Amino acid sequence: MSIAASFTPSTRSLGLPKFNTHHPSHSSPFFAIALRTTTSLTWKANQGRKRPVLVCSGGDGINGGNGKNSGGGGGGGAGGGGDSGDRNKAEAILALANIGRSLDSIPNDLAAAIELGRIPGSIVLRYFELEKSPLFRWLLQFGGFKERLLADDLFLAKVGMECGVGIFTKTAAEYQRRKENFFKELEIVFADVVMAIVADFMLVWLPAPTVSLRPPVAVNAGPIARFFYSCPDNAFQVALAGTSYSFLHRIGAIMRNGAKLFAVGTASSLIGTVVTNALINARKAVDKSSADEVENVPVLSTSVAYGVYMAVSSNLRYQVLAGVIEQRVLEPLLHQHKLMLSAICFAVRTGNTFVGSLLWVDYARWIGIQKAQELE
């Protein structure tokens, strides 16, 4: 195999990794073939170009990745580390070469991750596939969307699924639990639905697996900050090659997301209950006969209770849904059948949303912040 590269000096260093011929890794086709073939690197200076361009040829049909969904990685460390980091860097550079792109033509955070050996070639190829869509190209400008779309190209579709069906499934669940009292407790139903609309997006966003492109943690950061920096965004997500998560790191992911969802749930509930109480008071002002029938929703207790519910029940359910059911089970089976994968994800997320609504009503009644009204 021969690799020929032509480039001109650039502000960014583009160094190929050192190959360890004594301890080859058999998990990558690049190194498997390199074991059998003498590799030669020829660097030619070309003063006619302003950006480095790699031109590679391989008689063994090597490419930078298979394009398969390899799952999310995370900030388990500053770099890939060892042979895995070198392999990731080699695959990523080859992926860039195959499509005629350079490190200077991609975002700085992605280029830095490549140079540190934190992402394989398949993630680089996915970035360029997403970049073909005007909508995704715009979303890739935002770090949070970029990290999630690189880990799961169906992330945006899942956000639409969750928010689109949330209103209908939660309303249906409220009716299922309240039956004849549904219209008598309509104000409470409205509060629950408002809370759901505000929270649904965050329930998809926070537990979603990611490919971490964050810069290394600050040198003067404390031990707690360093620990949570090393935690994945999803406790069950698949780690990229060269990245590993301990059991404590995965527990830390649940704790960190739980704290965020507690804040989201409490804030969304405050909005919902305040709006609901305003509607109740307006109804009392218009209809004096309903003044004794409808009571204001307790703001503080309801908000804190909903925050606790999201931090525990919602957090665990969505962590398992995104990290286990979708990424570890459905993705490997249906990664070549995106339409079927989307349909099954839609069904699973719809069922999860409905179950969550049922659990919230039972939980709210169990702790006493909502009481069923008896029919006369």
Side-chain angles (χ1 to χ4, degrees):
M1 178 185 71
S2 64
I3 300 178
S6 61
F7 75 104
T8 56
S10 172
T11 56
R12 179 178 288 116
S13 173
L14 182 59
L16 285 174
K18 297 179 180 179
F19 302 111
N20 187 343
T21 57
H22 300 288
H23 300 283
S25 173
H26 300 286
S27 61
S28 169
F30 178 84
F31 285 90
I33 296 174
L35 186 65
R36 303 190 302 268
T37 309
T38 302
T39 302
S40 63
L41 300 177
T42 304
W43 298 91
K44 300 178 181 178
N46 185 345
Q47 300 298 329
R49 297 182 182 272
K50 295 182 180 180
R51 295 180 182 274
V53 177
L54 291 174
V55 180
C56 298
S57 62
D60 300 296
I62 300 174
N63 56 45
N66 55 15
K68 177 181 176 182
N69 188 351
S70 60
D83 291 342
S84 296
D86 289 343
R87 183 167 61 253
N88 285 345
K89 184 174 181 179
E91 291 179 354
I93 291 176
L94 285 173
L96 285 171
N98 284 343
I99 55 180
R101 296 286 292 269
S102 67
L103 284 174
D104 282 344
S105 67
I106 61 178
N108 291 334
D109 54 357
L110 188 62
I114 291 175
E115 291 178 328
L116 291 172
R118 293 167 57 185
I119 58 175
S122 59
I123 298 299
V124 177
L125 292 178
R126 174 172 296 165
Y127 173 82
F128 291 117
E129 285 296 320
L130 292 169
E131 200 180 36
K132 294 177 182 178
S133 166
L135 175 60
F136 287 140
R137 185 165 58 249
W138 177 70
L139 290 175
L140 287 172
Q141 300 178 51
F142 306 98
F145 276 104
K146 185 191 304 177
E147 291 186 334
R148 286 160 176 80
L149 287 170
L150 289 178
D152 181 7
D153 51 0
L154 291 179
F155 170 74
L156 194 62
K158 292 173 183 178
V159 171
M161 294 174 195
E162 198 72 36
C163 295
V165 304
I167 296 176
F168 301 103
T169 55
K170 290 182 181 297
T171 302
E174 293 283 344
Y175 182 79
Q176 176 70 21
R177 273 291 186 264
R178 302 178 191 279
K179 297 293 185 182
E180 298 86 354
N181 292 327
F182 179 81
F183 290 101
K184 294 189 66 175
E185 301 173 2
L186 196 58
E187 289 81 6
I188 299 177
V189 173
F190 182 80
D192 290 348
V193 173
V194 169
M195 289 186 287
I197 295 173
V198 176
D200 275 342
F201 177 81
M202 298 305 298
L203 283 172
V204 184
W205 180 271
L206 291 177
T210 62
V211 172
S212 180
L213 302 176
R214 293 171 295 174
V217 66
V219 178
N220 59 350
I224 296 178
R226 288 180 177 274
F227 171 76
F228 282 110
Y229 173 87
S230 301
C231 295
D233 286 281
N234 183 285
F236 306 100
Q237 75 178 56
V238 178
L240 293 175
T243 303
S244 62
Y245 302 116
S246 67
F247 178 75
L248 286 179
H249 284 141
R250 295 187 181 275
I251 295 296
I254 296 177
M255 295 172 58
R256 183 180 60 191
N257 275 2
K260 293 179 180 179
L261 287 174
F262 174 80
V264 171
T266 302
S268 62
S269 182
L270 280 171
I271 297 172
T273 51
V274 168
V275 171
T276 298
N277 285 342
L279 292 175
I280 291 175
N281 292 331
R283 178 178 172 182
K284 289 179 178 179
V286 174
D287 185 6
K288 301 296 184 181
S289 62
S290 63
D292 297 330
E293 295 180 4
V294 184
E295 298 181 358
N296 285 354
V297 179
V299 176
L300 184 59
S301 58
T302 300
S303 300
V304 173
Y306 194 65
V308 172
Y309 171 78
M310 285 193 65
V312 179
S313 175
S314 299
N315 184 26
L316 292 176
R317 284 186 292 107
Y318 279 88
Q319 291 263 355
V320 172
L321 173 61
V324 178
I325 298 176
E326 291 181 342
Q327 190 180 52
R328 292 182 178 269
V329 178
L330 297 179
E331 286 277 352
L333 292 175
L334 302 171
H335 67 272
Q336 293 181 340
H337 307 281
K338 293 296 184 182
L339 185 60
M340 184 179 298
L341 177 61
S342 299
I344 295 178
C345 287
F346 177 83
V348 172
R349 285 184 172 272
T350 300
N352 177 64
T353 303
F354 184 76
V355 170
S357 299
L358 299 179
L359 292 175
W360 161 247
V361 175
D362 289 341
Y363 166 73
R365 288 179 174 175
W366 177 60
I367 63 176
I369 61 173
Q370 293 184 9
K371 296 181 180 180
Q373 298 183 16
E374 300 295 334
L375 290 175
E376 294 181 358

